[in-house]
Amino acid sequence: MNTTSPDLIPAPTPVRLPVAGKTVSGHFPVRRVYCVGRNFADHAREMGATAPASKADRGTPVFFLKPTDSLVLDGVAHYPPGTQDLHHEIELVVALGEDAPPGVLSPEDAGRLVFAYGIGLDLTRRDLQAAAKAKGLPWDTGKSFDEAAPISALVPAADLGDLAPRTLSLEVNGALRQQSTLDMLIWDVPEILHELSKLYALKAGDLVFMGTPAGVAALQPGDVCEGALDDVLRLDCRIAPPR
């Protein structure tokens, strides 16, 4: 006798990111999307926060999550409802290919979990975020919404090599708005995975948006965004009118 209950509504289609490497190709099924706030000192300062003067002053990273189905794979993100101030934030994205062992992951062991890298836009309803921050409330409405995370294809970590000297950048309508080398991250990839493991069970399929450099600014319907990590990763995105 079949004891399995049937689905009563259609099951959501899993989100799968294309992977295009020198020796590896296929698709990466996404489980969760973690995000890091204020992970570049210049961006922390432009948002009115105090940037740490040294590693000892860093405190604790700021984390939040985006829905997996907020990822945009086709490069078209509609201007969201409820805001008059949508901002771009270009970010390195880390894709995990293995489950973390139980307990707290050491930074020294974190690297082996990383399968691939991409770049993404952490689209932000800045007016809603600012209103929530002013009242000491969570940022969810400012950060977590439909089509909030346009993302590139992934490139295997082995194809990128050392991240530190690579340059992350974003142009909007052909004008450069954001640019930084990745050695300017306050918390690097192993350190962020270590800190996340104190709070969550990291698993294969997880993505981590690593934070944005200075230069965040407003987007309007019709704007064209071109993100890049040197000449290795590219993200093309257009802001469409509201649905």
Side-chain angles (χ1 to χ4, degrees), residues 191-202:
E191 290 171 329
I192 284 296
L193 296 182
H194 165 70
E195 294 293 331
L196 275 170
S197 75
K198 297 177 181 178
L199 302 169
Y200 303 99
L202 299 176

Side-chain angles (χ1 to χ4, degrees), residues 137-222:
L137 299 174
W139 301 356
D140 294 61
T141 58
K143 290 288 192 178
S144 302
F145 51 91
D146 297 322
E147 301 179 14
I151 191 169
S152 71
L154 301 178
V155 170
D159 293 354
L160 275 181
D162 185 13
L163 288 177
R166 294 200 174 274
T167 299
L168 179 68
S169 63
L170 178 73
E171 294 184 358
V172 178
N173 302 328
L176 182 66
R177 288 201 181 175
Q178 293 184 265
Q179 186 176 61
S180 179
T181 51
L182 294 177
D183 60 351
M184 299 305 293
L185 285 164
I186 295 173
W187 305 81
D188 64 21
V189 173
E191 290 171 329
I192 284 296
L193 296 182
H194 165 70
E195 294 293 331
L196 275 170
S197 75
K198 297 177 181 178
L199 302 169
Y200 303 99
L202 299 176
K203 298 201 177 279
D206 289 347
L207 299 178
V208 184
F209 279 60
M210 285 290 297
T212 197
V216 301
L219 292 168
Q220 302 297 331

